[in-house]
Amino acid sequence: MATSIVLPKIMQIGGGALQLLPDTLAALQCKSPCIISDTTMLKLGLIERVKTLLLTHCSHVGVFSDVMPEPNDQSLLAAVELVGSEKFDCLIALGGGSAIDSAKAIALLASHKGIMRDYKVPRIINEHSIPIIAIPTTAGTGSEATKVTVITDAESDEKMLCMGPGLMPAAAIIDYELTLSLPPRVAADTGLDALTHAIEAYVSKKANLFSDQQAIAAMKLIAPNLQLACQQADNLEAKEAMMLGSNLAGIAFSNASVALVHGMSRPLGVHFHVPHGMSNAMLLPLITEYSISHAPKRYAECALHMGLISNIDDLNAAHQALLKELRHLNRILKVPSLTDFGVDQKRYLSLLQTMAEQALASGSPANNPRIPNVAEMVELYTAAWS
């Protein structure tokens, strides 16, 4: 069966790649960019640094620095108005997944109007929007190389999954030096997000030969370097491996889709504001254990590619090694339980049905090796509390 692969037109990869930003704009024939970012990047001076670089190529540079974590559709409106009124010809998405996801949605709405609900799955976004140059500052989301954005409906609290070639950034600048100042908590959450991307892409029902190679390479880079990158801020080799691993995992899941972990993770972010990578990590061991029986060889191969075992002759031993490592990573990287995070048990239990229905509606659970119904997802959410 043929597979359609979508990638950024340009990827600048490696330490110092940020300096190639003016060349990247020139290659895309863009001269009037608007930076889409958040207050953290403003405080760190990264927005000013990028703006200074851009002014070597452009006379007019805009800035929107009010991206919110876990962005909703209302948070985009001011930026859409700014981009339209100032007639910017490209967007520079600077930051983590929220900044890049927001930029994708802003470019879409500024170019084609409407509201985000018009574009959620099953709609496939093929429309070409103004170009985006994505500059990730975390090693986790892989959003710089995906045809996906997730935007919350402010009215219904639904996390809307939007997907299609039209959302793929035109260019990505993947400079691991931008991650050197990441706090350990952010490094852990985003790194575990990247590992989840790689595993889910590999076991997805939509996995293909191309996505498999990216997922395997990502697991080989992420598994031995995740702890080091989180615990040793000056370990440049580990930081570089995580940045590239995150990018490859993004390419993998963009071309194979994520699965049940992501489907069930999104409602935790909406209703309880659990950071996306953290909620994935909370669910990954549980969902992996639930799913293993329906893709035993694939999950065993994950353990092999992560360097946990030397062969897969004993599938059960491979599965146990994988589950042990996923639990160990959560423990050593201090991923909190839902209780420790501060989730109210009574409210959590009252929302089980709603969260399960929202997870199912996202479409991601249908890619899982073992596809649950709503009642089974309620049971999984219940088990996640304990």
Side-chain angles (χ1 to χ4, degrees), residues 304-320:
L304 179 67
H305 299 315
M306 289 170 64
L308 307 178
I309 54 172
S310 59
N311 61 68
I312 59 168
D313 294 342
D314 186 335
L315 292 182
N316 183 63
H319 298 160
Q320 293 310 309

Side-chain angles (χ1 to χ4, degrees), residues 12-24 46 49-50 53-54 92 94 133 135-137 173-178:
Q12 313 280 19
I13 301 174
L18 181 62
Q19 299 304 314
L20 299 174
L21 178 57
D23 295 341
T24 306
L46 275 175
R49 182 179 167 192
V50 168
L53 266 174
L54 289 169
I92 311 295
L94 176 68
I133 300 173
I135 309 175
T137 59
I173 293 179
I174 302 149
D175 186 342
Y176 74 90
E177 292 178 0
L178 298 177

Side-chain angles (χ1 to χ4, degrees), residues 186-231:
V186 177
D189 292 344
T190 54
L192 288 164
D193 189 21
L195 181 61
T196 305
H197 291 154
I199 292 173
E200 288 212 292
Y202 194 70
V203 302
S204 168
K205 287 183 176 293
K206 293 182 179 177
N208 55 76
L209 189 59
F210 178 88
S211 65
D212 281 353
Q213 304 316 303
Q214 318 311 311
I216 290 168
M219 284 185 271
K220 288 181 175 180
L221 286 167
I222 294 167
N225 288 293
L226 178 52
Q227 287 186 57
L228 294 174
C230 294
Q231 297 171 345

Side-chain angles (χ1 to χ4, degrees), residues 74-224:
Q74 295 302 304
S75 73
L76 308 173
L77 299 182
V80 172
E81 174 64 26
L82 173 67
V83 172
S85 63
E86 297 285 334
K87 301 190 185 317
F88 294 111
D89 63 7
C90 69
L91 303 183
I92 311 295
L94 176 68
S98 294
I100 299 173
D101 274 10
S102 293
K104 291 176 182 180
I106 292 163
L108 178 68
L109 295 180
S111 301
H112 304 289
K113 311 306 179 187
I115 59 174
M116 284 310 297
R117 180 161 287 280
D118 297 335
Y119 297 100
K120 74 172 201 171
V121 294
R123 165 86 180 267
I124 300 299
I125 300 168
N126 290 305
E127 295 91 337
H128 290 288
S129 302
I130 60 172
I132 296 168
I133 300 173
I135 309 175
T137 59
T138 65
T141 70
S143 187
E144 74 279 358
T146 75
K147 56 184 179 183
V148 177
T149 188
V150 179
I151 303 295
T152 300
D153 185 314
E155 185 175 335
S156 67
D157 269 349
E158 176 193 355
K159 273 202 170 187
M160 298 180 291
L161 179 64
C162 304
M163 185 181 299
L167 292 176
M168 179 63 69
I173 293 179
I174 302 149
D175 186 342
Y176 74 90
E177 292 178 0
L178 298 177
T179 72
L180 298 183
S181 60
L182 275 182
R185 178 74 269 143
V186 177
D189 292 344
T190 54
L192 288 164
D193 189 21
L195 181 61
T196 305
H197 291 154
I199 292 173
E200 288 212 292
Y202 194 70
V203 302
S204 168
K205 287 183 176 293
K206 293 182 179 177
N208 55 76
L209 189 59
F210 178 88
S211 65
D212 281 353
Q213 304 316 303
Q214 318 311 311
I216 290 168
M219 284 185 271
K220 288 181 175 180
L221 286 167
I222 294 167

Side-chain angles (χ1 to χ4, degrees), residues 38-100:
D38 56 41
T39 54
T40 299
M41 296 297 104
L42 190 64
K43 291 173 185 174
L44 290 174
L46 275 175
I47 290 178
E48 190 59 34
R49 182 179 167 192
V50 168
K51 186 175 180 181
T52 300
L53 266 174
L54 289 169
L55 287 171
T56 65
H57 176 74
C58 316
S59 59
H60 178 45
V61 177
V63 175
F64 177 82
S65 59
D66 290 327
V67 165
M68 65 180 287
E70 311 287 335
N72 66 39
D73 52 353
Q74 295 302 304
S75 73
L76 308 173
L77 299 182
V80 172
E81 174 64 26
L82 173 67
V83 172
S85 63
E86 297 285 334
K87 301 190 185 317
F88 294 111
D89 63 7
C90 69
L91 303 183
I92 311 295
L94 176 68
S98 294
I100 299 173

Side-chain angles (χ1 to χ4, degrees), residues 263-265 267-268 348 352 355-356 359 377-385:
M264 290 184 61
S265 169
L268 294 179
Y348 180 81
L352 293 179
M355 290 194 296
M377 275 192 280
V378 167
E379 291 179 4
L380 287 167
Y381 275 126
T382 303
W385 179 266

